[in-house]
Amino acid sequence: MSKTLGSIEAGGTKFVLAVADETYRVSAKKRIPTTLPDKTLAACIAFFKENPVDAIGLGSFGPIGIKQGTSDYGHILATPKPGWAGTNIVKILTDALNVPVFFTTDVNASVYGEYIAGEAKDVDSAVYFTIGTGIGGGAIQDGKFIGGYSHLEMGHAPVMMHPDDHYEGFCPFHGNRCFEGVAAGPTIEGRTGQRGETLARDNQVFDFIDYYAAQMAFNAYVNLAPAKIIFGGSVINDGDMPRVQKYFDELNNGYVQVPDNLIVHSHFADNASATVGDFALAASLLK
Amino acid sequence: MSKTLGSIEAGGTKFVLAVADETYRVSAKKRIPTTLPDKTLAACIAFFKENPVDAIGLGSFGPIGIKQGTSDYGHILATPKPGWAGTNIVKILTDALNVPVFFTTDVNASVYGEYIAGEAKDVDSAVYFTIGTGIGGGAIQDGKFIGGYSHLEMGHAPVMMHPDDHYEGFCPFHGNRCFEGVAAGPTIEGRTGQRGETLARDNQVFDFIDYYAAQMAFNAYVNLAPAKIIFGGSVINDGDMPRVQKYFDELNNGYVQVPDNLIVHSHFADNASATVGDFALAASLLK
């Protein structure tokens, strides 16, 4: 019998809920603002009561407890987002809806979507980076997410500053000593006083961001050796890829041999990798 | 029937050959210098003809082709070591000895040894770094090595220089822009003009190396989230671990929650993790 799949993209500003058939064709979709957990999760539950599903894939903002069998499993952990720290989101949803939930990070959901149906569908391994309000990365190899003890925090890897970049950084933990601190969306306004949408693409700030994206990709390559590195998020787009590739080649300087077409932009419009990934993760629970 | 296991640690200056029973108890061992492939491999073959084994684990210097089914598989790749580039070491050994060979990097063999019988034997994931003439890293999760397209090159990850360190670096590809370039053994003599053995341990150079070791560990943690990070090699020892931990904590600055006793020194004396790993990899071929 045909199964119905649910997706929850749990973000810091909005939750995107969707229902699809086994070919990931969407039959219902809703966005709800992320307010307090009681209210937001009640709206999730109401949506899936109206649109019943057999399983849900839930890709969440973090940090989260993703290790099954630990007391943290299913929880949002130490987030500054008011009310959410300690919320056992998986238990609340499964108690109310009585369906299995695959719980992972938003970027793991994205890399899974790319792996099942996107840029990484013909290879065995991939890394997905999102550059938006923050920077996150997820990684997969042979169908399993990388992360033995917990999920990855690739946006907080140490960064080698661009020699012309003297920005003090905005990461509350690491200042300008991590990628998020020097390359996430807020660094554009932090450097220029203007929002990215209002700036010409030849503004130096985008050159810096492409340089850091390339460095993230190189760092991911030497640490994980994936067959694909995929960029999504609102800050860089397909047009940035040649410059990211150029900086990657400069950083590598001929040292490691990498696969053809290693660095690509997300396959899906509107960063929908995560939705596809959530559906596929939901489907994986029904096999 | 009880099986006999072979280990080849193929290093750039020497090959260490060993034979053991299924409990990894060594019954024969030999060191041979790494000269030209014909001569060195003939000595390997002679040793294992005299001391027959049922399978061999071969942890090699790199870069190497470790992906089965590709034309590079089993080969030493673009090494500067005269004569070795392009040598199909696996084919030469299997043709002569007619036993299966598990081929991987030296650091993968080490992380496997720690995973099977050392510091990581009670956890599901680990990273092993060696800091010696060069810097290498291997990673494992749930019994599988990390690296979808090829093996890792963790020593060449971009580095954030210590603010007091103005060393120009020695990596021929990356200068002072990778960990190997600023923290491998030759950087000690490069900075001080003296070999490490002749310097007091409170020399600033060791402080720099511990800082970079900590940064490597932090970078590995955010990219791989292993349950253990294990250091081996001739440059740092057990006594460095508290300072590495201190720098790790400063770099993290309370951001990620890490497992207890994440950072440790190798379980095995004389960097024997690789030998144990080779034996265990050989045994894995006989199951």
Side-chain angles (χ1 to χ4, degrees):
Chain A
M1 199 168 116
S2 161
K3 302 290 187 183
T4 305
L5 309 172
S7 166
I8 303 177
E9 287 170 64
T13 58
K14 65 178 188 294
F15 274 47
V16 181
L17 315 174
V19 173
D21 63 16
E22 285 174 288
T23 68
Y24 315 142
R25 195 169 43 188
V26 174
S27 57
K29 191 159 185 172
K30 186 169 191 173
R31 280 159 198 256
I32 53 178
T34 309
T35 55
L36 289 170
D38 283 358
K39 195 172 164 195
T40 304
L41 296 180
C44 280
I45 290 162
F47 175 82
F48 286 111
K49 293 246 187 205
E50 265 176 58
N51 302 278
V53 293
D54 294 298
I56 293 173
L58 164 54
S60 179
F61 70 103
I64 62 176
I66 57 165
K67 188 127 173 134
Q68 299 212 29
T70 65
S71 59
D72 280 346
Y73 176 73
H75 291 70
I76 307 280
L77 302 179
T79 174
K81 187 117 195 101
W84 286 88
T87 300
N88 190 339
I89 186 168
V90 170
K91 183 168 169 20
I92 291 168
L93 293 170
T94 50
D95 283 358
L97 296 168
N98 201 28
V99 295
V101 172
F102 195 113
F103 186 49
T104 194
T105 62
D106 43 12
V107 279
N108 273 354
S110 292
V111 80
Y112 201 72
E114 297 285 350
Y115 182 76
I116 292 292
E119 290 295 331
K121 75 176 191 302
D122 297 325
V123 294
D124 64 2
S125 50
V127 165
Y128 180 97
F129 283 113
T130 182
I131 307 183
T133 312
I135 293 181
I140 196 166
Q141 182 176 317
D142 295 329
K144 305 281 184 196
F145 295 124
I146 306 295
Y149 180 75
S150 184
H151 57 78
L152 309 186
E153 290 283 359
M154 301 177 90
H156 293 274
V159 67
M160 191 167 72
M161 289 282 278
H162 187 292
D164 299 330
D165 184 16
H166 307 294
Y167 179 53
E168 71 274 17
F170 91 107
C171 174
F173 295 93
H174 309 121
N176 61 8
R177 288 171 292 108
C178 74
F179 288 107
E180 184 164 303
V182 296
T187 69
I188 300 172
E189 203 167 345
R191 285 189 179 88
T192 66
Q194 289 181 254
R195 291 184 56 82
E197 306 87 280
T198 69
L199 295 170
R201 283 309 280 189
D202 64 358
N203 191 292
Q204 190 184 31
V205 69
F206 296 113
D207 195 47
F208 290 154
I209 287 171
D210 287 347
Y211 169 78
Y212 295 124
Q215 191 182 135
M216 279 167 34
F218 185 63
N219 195 38
Y221 190 79
V222 295
N223 279 287
L224 293 152
K228 285 283 173 195
I229 297 174
I230 302 159
F231 283 96
S234 57
V235 171
I236 65 176
N237 57 45
D238 203 36
D240 289 288
M241 294 300 109
R243 196 159 59 180
V244 173
Q245 182 68 54
K246 176 184 76 107
Y247 281 128
F248 182 96
D249 293 341
E250 286 176 19
L251 286 160
N252 184 22
N253 197 26
Y255 181 67
V256 286
Q257 263 203 302
V258 302
D260 293 338
N261 305 311
L262 172 67
I263 300 172
V264 294
H265 193 256
S266 173
H267 185 77
F268 299 98
D270 302 323
N271 298 301
S273 314
T275 310
V276 172
D278 287 337
F279 289 142
L281 289 167
S284 76
L285 295 173
L286 300 172
K287 275 171 187 154
Chain B
M1 198 171 115
S2 161
K3 302 290 186 184
T4 305
L5 309 171
S7 166
I8 302 177
E9 287 169 64
T13 57
K14 65 177 188 294
F15 274 46
V16 181
L17 315 174
V19 173
D21 64 15
E22 285 175 288
T23 68
Y24 315 141
R25 195 169 46 188
V26 174
S27 57
K29 191 161 187 171
K30 186 168 190 172
R31 280 160 198 254
I32 53 177
T34 308
T35 55
L36 289 170
D38 283 359
K39 196 174 163 192
T40 305
L41 296 180
C44 280
I45 290 163
F47 175 81
F48 287 111
K49 294 246 186 203
E50 264 176 57
N51 302 278
V53 294
D54 294 297
I56 293 173
L58 164 53
S60 180
F61 70 104
I64 61 175
I66 56 167
K67 188 127 174 136
Q68 299 212 31
T70 65
S71 58
D72 280 345
Y73 176 74
H75 291 69
I76 307 280
L77 302 179
T79 174
K81 187 117 194 99
W84 285 89
T87 300
N88 190 338
I89 187 169
V90 170
K91 182 169 170 22
I92 291 167
L93 293 170
T94 51
D95 283 357
L97 297 168
N98 200 29
V99 295
V101 171
F102 195 113
F103 186 48
T104 195
T105 61
D106 43 11
V107 279
N108 273 355
S110 293
V111 79
Y112 201 72
E114 296 285 350
Y115 182 76
I116 292 292
E119 289 295 331
K121 73 177 192 301
D122 297 326
V123 294
D124 63 3
S125 51
V127 166
Y128 180 96
F129 283 113
T130 181
I131 308 183
T133 312
I135 292 180
I140 196 166
Q141 182 176 315
D142 295 329
K144 305 282 184 195
F145 294 123
I146 305 296
Y149 180 75
S150 184
H151 57 79
L152 309 186
E153 289 283 359
M154 301 177 89
H156 293 273
V159 67
M160 192 168 70
M161 289 282 277
H162 187 292
D164 299 331
D165 184 15
H166 308 293
Y167 179 53
E168 71 273 19
F170 92 107
C171 175
F173 294 92
H174 308 122
N176 62 9
R177 289 170 291 107
C178 74
F179 289 106
E180 184 163 302
V182 296
T187 69
I188 299 173
E189 203 167 345
R191 285 188 179 88
T192 65
Q194 289 182 253
R195 290 184 57 81
E197 307 88 279
T198 70
L199 295 169
R201 283 309 281 190
D202 65 356
N203 191 292
Q204 189 184 32
V205 69
F206 296 114
D207 195 47
F208 290 154
I209 287 171
D210 287 347
Y211 169 77
Y212 295 124
Q215 192 183 135
M216 278 165 38
F218 184 63
N219 195 38
Y221 190 79
V222 296
N223 278 289
L224 294 151
K228 285 283 172 195
I229 297 174
I230 302 159
F231 284 96
S234 57
V235 171
I236 65 176
N237 56 46
D238 203 38
D240 290 288
M241 294 300 110
R243 196 159 60 179
V244 173
Q245 182 68 54
K246 177 185 76 107
Y247 281 129
F248 182 97
D249 292 341
E250 286 176 19
L251 286 159
N252 184 22
N253 197 25
Y255 180 67
V256 286
Q257 262 203 303
V258 301
D260 293 338
N261 305 311
L262 171 67
I263 299 172
V264 294
H265 192 256
S266 173
H267 184 77
F268 300 97
D270 302 323
N271 297 301
S273 315
T275 309
V276 172
D278 286 336
F279 289 141
L281 290 167
S284 76
L285 295 172
L286 300 171
K287 273 171 190 156

mmCIF file of all heavy atoms in Angstrom, chain B residues 190-216:
data_model
loop_
_atom_site.group_PDB
_atom_site.id
_atom_site.type_symbol
_atom_site.label_atom_id
_atom_site.label_comp_id
_atom_site.label_asym_id
_atom_site.label_seq_id
_atom_site.Cartn_x
_atom_site.Cartn_y
_atom_site.Cartn_z
ATOM 1 N N GLY B 190 63.228 23.859 11.876
ATOM 2 C CA GLY B 190 62.995 25.035 11.029
ATOM 3 C C GLY B 190 62.896 26.320 11.837
ATOM 4 O O GLY B 190 63.365 27.377 11.410
ATOM 5 N N ARG B 191 62.322 26.242 13.029
ATOM 6 C CA ARG B 191 62.172 27.437 13.864
ATOM 7 C C ARG B 191 63.407 27.709 14.705
ATOM 8 O O ARG B 191 63.767 28.852 14.957
ATOM 9 C CB ARG B 191 60.983 27.286 14.824
ATOM 10 C CG ARG B 191 59.617 27.426 14.190
ATOM 11 C CD ARG B 191 58.601 27.449 15.319
ATOM 12 N NE ARG B 191 57.231 27.606 14.837
ATOM 13 C CZ ARG B 191 56.447 26.598 14.483
ATOM 14 N NH1 ARG B 191 56.876 25.359 14.541
ATOM 15 N NH2 ARG B 191 55.217 26.837 14.069
ATOM 16 N N THR B 192 64.036 26.637 15.219
ATOM 17 C CA THR B 192 65.056 26.823 16.260
ATOM 18 C C THR B 192 66.471 26.510 15.773
ATOM 19 O O THR B 192 67.439 26.814 16.472
ATOM 20 C CB THR B 192 64.778 25.872 17.457
ATOM 21 O OG1 THR B 192 64.941 24.511 16.999
ATOM 22 C CG2 THR B 192 63.382 26.069 18.013
ATOM 23 N N GLY B 193 66.578 25.834 14.603
ATOM 24 C CA GLY B 193 67.895 25.382 14.164
ATOM 25 C C GLY B 193 68.397 24.165 14.913
ATOM 26 O O GLY B 193 69.506 23.689 14.661
ATOM 27 N N GLN B 194 67.587 23.661 15.843
ATOM 28 C CA GLN B 194 68.011 22.483 16.621
ATOM 29 C C GLN B 194 66.966 21.385 16.511
ATOM 30 O O GLN B 194 65.775 21.671 16.334
ATOM 31 C CB GLN B 194 68.132 22.861 18.109
ATOM 32 C CG GLN B 194 69.297 23.763 18.423
ATOM 33 C CD GLN B 194 69.346 24.039 19.911
ATOM 34 O OE1 GLN B 194 69.023 25.132 20.355
ATOM 35 N NE2 GLN B 194 69.745 23.039 20.684
ATOM 36 N N ARG B 195 67.404 20.150 16.678
ATOM 37 C CA ARG B 195 66.451 19.053 16.665
ATOM 38 C C ARG B 195 65.695 19.006 17.995
ATOM 39 O O ARG B 195 66.206 19.400 19.039
ATOM 40 C CB ARG B 195 67.173 17.720 16.415
ATOM 41 C CG ARG B 195 67.709 17.619 14.987
ATOM 42 C CD ARG B 195 68.325 16.263 14.707
ATOM 43 N NE ARG B 195 67.377 15.178 14.944
ATOM 44 C CZ ARG B 195 66.433 14.786 14.065
ATOM 45 N NH1 ARG B 195 66.328 15.377 12.896
ATOM 46 N NH2 ARG B 195 65.610 13.803 14.371
ATOM 47 N N GLY B 196 64.470 18.535 17.934
ATOM 48 C CA GLY B 196 63.599 18.516 19.107
ATOM 49 C C GLY B 196 64.200 17.829 20.319
ATOM 50 O O GLY B 196 64.028 18.291 21.452
ATOM 51 N N GLU B 197 64.938 16.738 20.090
ATOM 52 C CA GLU B 197 65.513 15.970 21.205
ATOM 53 C C GLU B 197 66.473 16.822 22.035
ATOM 54 O O GLU B 197 66.709 16.523 23.216
ATOM 55 C CB GLU B 197 66.283 14.737 20.713
ATOM 56 C CG GLU B 197 65.510 13.817 19.792
ATOM 57 C CD GLU B 197 65.603 14.198 18.323
ATOM 58 O OE1 GLU B 197 64.846 15.125 17.922
ATOM 59 O OE2 GLU B 197 66.397 13.595 17.595
ATOM 60 N N THR B 198 67.060 17.865 21.427
ATOM 61 C CA THR B 198 68.070 18.664 22.118
ATOM 62 C C THR B 198 67.465 19.868 22.830
ATOM 63 O O THR B 198 68.182 20.631 23.486
ATOM 64 C CB THR B 198 69.119 19.186 21.116
ATOM 65 O OG1 THR B 198 68.497 20.177 20.279
ATOM 66 C CG2 THR B 198 69.681 18.072 20.238
ATOM 67 N N LEU B 199 66.158 20.068 22.701
ATOM 68 C CA LEU B 199 65.523 21.264 23.260
ATOM 69 C C LEU B 199 64.789 20.939 24.559
ATOM 70 O O LEU B 199 64.238 19.848 24.702
ATOM 71 C CB LEU B 199 64.501 21.829 22.267
ATOM 72 C CG LEU B 199 65.032 22.357 20.944
ATOM 73 C CD1 LEU B 199 63.869 22.627 19.989
ATOM 74 C CD2 LEU B 199 65.847 23.627 21.165
ATOM 75 N N ALA B 200 64.752 21.905 25.472
ATOM 76 C CA ALA B 200 63.945 21.748 26.682
ATOM 77 C C ALA B 200 62.472 21.762 26.287
ATOM 78 O O ALA B 200 62.077 22.445 25.342
ATOM 79 C CB ALA B 200 64.241 22.891 27.662
ATOM 80 N N ARG B 201 61.659 20.996 27.043
ATOM 81 C CA ARG B 201 60.244 20.895 26.696
ATOM 82 C C ARG B 201 59.511 22.217 26.909
ATOM 83 O O ARG B 201 58.384 22.379 26.427
ATOM 84 C CB ARG B 201 59.536 19.801 27.510
ATOM 85 C CG ARG B 201 59.789 18.369 27.050
ATOM 86 C CD ARG B 201 59.577 18.056 25.570
ATOM 87 N NE ARG B 201 58.208 17.865 25.127
ATOM 88 C CZ ARG B 201 57.848 17.391 23.921
ATOM 89 N NH1 ARG B 201 58.771 17.053 23.028
ATOM 90 N NH2 ARG B 201 56.600 17.274 23.587
ATOM 91 N N ASP B 202 60.098 23.149 27.659
ATOM 92 C CA ASP B 202 59.425 24.440 27.821
ATOM 93 C C ASP B 202 59.788 25.429 26.710
ATOM 94 O O ASP B 202 59.395 26.592 26.771
ATOM 95 C CB ASP B 202 59.665 25.023 29.218
ATOM 96 C CG ASP B 202 61.133 25.357 29.460
ATOM 97 O OD1 ASP B 202 61.979 25.072 28.574
ATOM 98 O OD2 ASP B 202 61.430 25.879 30.549
ATOM 99 N N ASN B 203 60.510 24.966 25.706
ATOM 100 C CA ASN B 203 60.758 25.819 24.538
ATOM 101 C C ASN B 203 59.417 26.193 23.894
ATOM 102 O O ASN B 203 58.521 25.364 23.777
ATOM 103 C CB ASN B 203 61.641 25.061 23.533
ATOM 104 C CG ASN B 203 62.159 25.973 22.437
ATOM 105 O OD1 ASN B 203 61.396 26.457 21.612
ATOM 106 N ND2 ASN B 203 63.460 26.236 22.457
ATOM 107 N N GLN B 204 59.332 27.451 23.447
ATOM 108 C CA GLN B 204 58.069 27.947 22.893
ATOM 109 C C GLN B 204 57.576 27.105 21.714
ATOM 110 O O GLN B 204 56.373 27.027 21.459
ATOM 111 C CB GLN B 204 58.244 29.412 22.460
ATOM 112 C CG GLN B 204 56.931 30.089 22.082
ATOM 113 C CD GLN B 204 57.134 31.503 21.565
ATOM 114 O OE1 GLN B 204 58.143 31.811 20.938
ATOM 115 N NE2 GLN B 204 56.182 32.377 21.849
ATOM 116 N N VAL B 205 58.506 26.483 20.994
ATOM 117 C CA VAL B 205 58.094 25.706 19.821
ATOM 118 C C VAL B 205 57.122 24.584 20.204
ATOM 119 O O VAL B 205 56.187 24.280 19.458
ATOM 120 C CB VAL B 205 59.331 25.164 19.057
ATOM 121 C CG1 VAL B 205 60.071 24.090 19.835
ATOM 122 C CG2 VAL B 205 58.941 24.642 17.684
ATOM 123 N N PHE B 206 57.308 24.006 21.379
ATOM 124 C CA PHE B 206 56.396 22.930 21.792
ATOM 125 C C PHE B 206 55.029 23.481 22.190
ATOM 126 O O PHE B 206 54.008 22.806 22.041
ATOM 127 C CB PHE B 206 57.021 22.099 22.921
ATOM 128 C CG PHE B 206 58.266 21.381 22.490
ATOM 129 C CD1 PHE B 206 59.505 21.716 23.021
ATOM 130 C CD2 PHE B 206 58.205 20.378 21.522
ATOM 131 C CE1 PHE B 206 60.650 21.061 22.605
ATOM 132 C CE2 PHE B 206 59.355 19.721 21.103
ATOM 133 C CZ PHE B 206 60.582 20.064 21.642
ATOM 134 N N ASP B 207 55.040 24.705 22.692
ATOM 135 C CA ASP B 207 53.769 25.369 22.979
ATOM 136 C C ASP B 207 52.994 25.581 21.672
ATOM 137 O O ASP B 207 51.790 25.318 21.597
ATOM 138 C CB ASP B 207 54.067 26.707 23.658
ATOM 139 C CG ASP B 207 52.838 27.298 24.320
ATOM 140 O OD1 ASP B 207 52.139 26.556 25.041
ATOM 141 O OD2 ASP B 207 52.573 28.490 24.085
ATOM 142 N N PHE B 208 53.681 26.044 20.641
ATOM 143 C CA PHE B 208 53.030 26.204 19.330
ATOM 144 C C PHE B 208 52.481 24.863 18.838
ATOM 145 O O PHE B 208 51.349 24.776 18.353
ATOM 146 C CB PHE B 208 54.020 26.754 18.291
ATOM 147 C CG PHE B 208 54.424 28.191 18.502
ATOM 148 C CD1 PHE B 208 55.656 28.643 18.027
ATOM 149 C CD2 PHE B 208 53.593 29.091 19.150
ATOM 150 C CE1 PHE B 208 56.040 29.966 18.205
ATOM 151 C CE2 PHE B 208 53.964 30.423 19.331
ATOM 152 C CZ PHE B 208 55.200 30.860 18.859
ATOM 153 N N ILE B 209 53.299 23.826 18.935
ATOM 154 C CA ILE B 209 52.864 22.526 18.409
ATOM 155 C C ILE B 209 51.637 22.020 19.177
ATOM 156 O O ILE B 209 50.684 21.508 18.574
ATOM 157 C CB ILE B 209 54.037 21.525 18.417
ATOM 158 C CG1 ILE B 209 55.009 21.916 17.285
ATOM 159 C CG2 ILE B 209 53.553 20.087 18.238
ATOM 160 C CD1 ILE B 209 56.320 21.169 17.268
ATOM 161 N N ASP B 210 51.635 22.207 20.490
ATOM 162 C CA ASP B 210 50.451 21.793 21.253
ATOM 163 C C ASP B 210 49.225 22.611 20.854
ATOM 164 O O ASP B 210 48.110 22.093 20.784
ATOM 165 C CB ASP B 210 50.704 21.929 22.762
ATOM 166 C CG ASP B 210 51.651 20.849 23.270
ATOM 167 O OD1 ASP B 210 51.916 19.875 22.527
ATOM 168 O OD2 ASP B 210 52.136 20.994 24.413
ATOM 169 N N TYR B 211 49.438 23.911 20.596
ATOM 170 C CA TYR B 211 48.319 24.749 20.140
ATOM 171 C C TYR B 211 47.764 24.225 18.813
ATOM 172 O O TYR B 211 46.543 24.110 18.632
ATOM 173 C CB TYR B 211 48.790 26.203 20.000
ATOM 174 C CG TYR B 211 47.779 27.089 19.294
ATOM 175 C CD1 TYR B 211 46.653 27.561 19.961
ATOM 176 C CD2 TYR B 211 47.952 27.428 17.953
ATOM 177 C CE1 TYR B 211 45.721 28.353 19.307
ATOM 178 C CE2 TYR B 211 47.027 28.223 17.289
ATOM 179 C CZ TYR B 211 45.914 28.679 17.975
ATOM 180 O OH TYR B 211 44.987 29.458 17.316
ATOM 181 N N TYR B 212 48.662 23.896 17.887
ATOM 182 C CA TYR B 212 48.179 23.398 16.588
ATOM 183 C C TYR B 212 47.553 22.003 16.721
ATOM 184 O O TYR B 212 46.583 21.690 16.028
ATOM 185 C CB TYR B 212 49.305 23.414 15.548
ATOM 186 C CG TYR B 212 49.773 24.816 15.223
ATOM 187 C CD1 TYR B 212 51.105 25.196 15.363
ATOM 188 C CD2 TYR B 212 48.864 25.782 14.792
ATOM 189 C CE1 TYR B 212 51.530 26.492 15.085
ATOM 190 C CE2 TYR B 212 49.275 27.084 14.519
ATOM 191 C CZ TYR B 212 50.606 27.427 14.667
ATOM 192 O OH TYR B 212 51.003 28.713 14.398
ATOM 193 N N ALA B 213 48.099 21.183 17.597
ATOM 194 C CA ALA B 213 47.472 19.873 17.834
ATOM 195 C C ALA B 213 46.045 20.073 18.343
ATOM 196 O O ALA B 213 45.109 19.393 17.907
ATOM 197 C CB ALA B 213 48.298 19.063 18.838
ATOM 198 N N ALA B 214 45.879 21.014 19.258
ATOM 199 C CA ALA B 214 44.543 21.313 19.789
ATOM 200 C C ALA B 214 43.617 21.812 18.683
ATOM 201 O O ALA B 214 42.446 21.438 18.605
ATOM 202 C CB ALA B 214 44.647 22.364 20.895
ATOM 203 N N GLN B 215 44.159 22.656 17.814
ATOM 204 C CA GLN B 215 43.339 23.183 16.718
ATOM 205 C C GLN B 215 42.959 22.065 15.735
ATOM 206 O O GLN B 215 41.830 22.020 15.240
ATOM 207 C CB GLN B 215 44.093 24.318 16.007
ATOM 208 C CG GLN B 215 43.198 25.099 15.063
ATOM 209 C CD GLN B 215 43.941 26.181 14.297
ATOM 210 O OE1 GLN B 215 43.774 26.331 13.101
ATOM 211 N NE2 GLN B 215 44.769 26.957 14.987
ATOM 212 N N MET B 216 43.906 21.157 15.476
ATOM 213 C CA MET B 216 43.582 19.991 14.645
ATOM 214 C C MET B 216 42.459 19.185 15.285
ATOM 215 O O MET B 216 41.548 18.717 14.595
ATOM 216 C CB MET B 216 44.815 19.086 14.505
ATOM 217 C CG MET B 216 45.780 19.523 13.445
ATOM 218 S SD MET B 216 47.433 18.723 13.549
ATOM 219 C CE MET B 216 47.047 17.083 14.034
#
